[in-house]
Amino acid sequence: MLKKFRNCTLILIFSLIAQIGYVNAGMTGSEEMKASKSDGSAEECFEGFSRAMFKFNHTLDGAIFEPVAKGYRSLPKGIRKGTSNVVGNLRSLLTLSNNVLQGDFREAGNTAGRFVINTTVGIFGIWDPASSLLGLEASGKEDFGQTMGVWGTRSGCYFVLPILGPTTTRDAIGLVGNVFLDPVYQITHT
């Protein structure tokens, strides 16, 4: 039981780290931004918390993520590209789920076709023959936060999460939804 809990915890931590965009997302001059704010932008509800999390993330970035990134950049370009392609290929399953939930069946078909071709001909997605040979270009990545937006959910408050960086209420809830929609997660946990 303890081993299963530990494995689930490690997978959760790896999943969170794998979804990190850029941790450095703070800004100065928020007074000017508030004055020029458009109607469609998110409200800053937890500014004190966000600033503390930005400082935490910035420190963590310098201590952990920057050295890891430097080590990763020392790998040969082919290995970096292949690794990126495999991760992108696996992530396309989450995009596929959200394409269907958004009712965008054309993009869902494109994503499914790319996944099948890149997984088989491209050997688990190491190469991208779907775009280079067949012209099936990669479209944008979709997640459950975007799906909730398509369904009419407002973005909510803007804040900064530890490790994951900047987000809105809708996208933070969407992270939870991603766990349930991600076919790779479902396959590895059933």
Side-chain angles (χ1 to χ4, degrees), residues 62-142:
I64 296 174
F65 295 118
E66 188 175 335
V68 168
K70 284 181 181 178
Y72 182 73
R73 277 181 287 205
S74 69
L75 293 173
K77 187 175 183 180
I79 292 174
R80 291 191 321 246
K81 181 68 172 164
T83 304
S84 174
N85 286 348
V86 169
V87 171
N89 191 48
L90 288 174
R91 192 179 188 294
S92 71
L93 292 172
L94 181 61
T95 298
L96 174 63
S97 306
N98 283 288
N99 285 144
V100 171
L101 287 172
Q102 293 173 19
D104 192 354
F105 299 109
R106 181 172 176 258
E107 283 300 322
N110 182 53
T111 303
R114 285 184 50 77
F115 177 76
V116 169
I117 292 166
N118 288 341
T119 301
T120 55
V121 179
I123 307 173
F124 301 111
I126 295 173
W127 293 281
D128 187 8
S131 65
S132 61
L133 298 177
L134 300 175
L136 289 173
E137 292 300 321
S139 57
K141 298 175 183 173
E142 300 291 330

Side-chain angles (χ1 to χ4, degrees), residues 5-38:
F5 176 76
R6 185 187 69 194
N7 290 341
C8 288
T9 304
L10 290 173
I11 289 170
L12 178 63
I13 290 170
F14 177 75
S15 298
L16 292 175
I17 291 173
Q19 292 186 19
I20 294 174
Y22 290 102
V23 177
N24 54 356
M27 65 187 314
T28 58
S30 60
E31 294 79 21
E32 293 86 18
M33 291 299 293
K34 287 179 183 175
S36 65
K37 188 174 171 179
S38 67

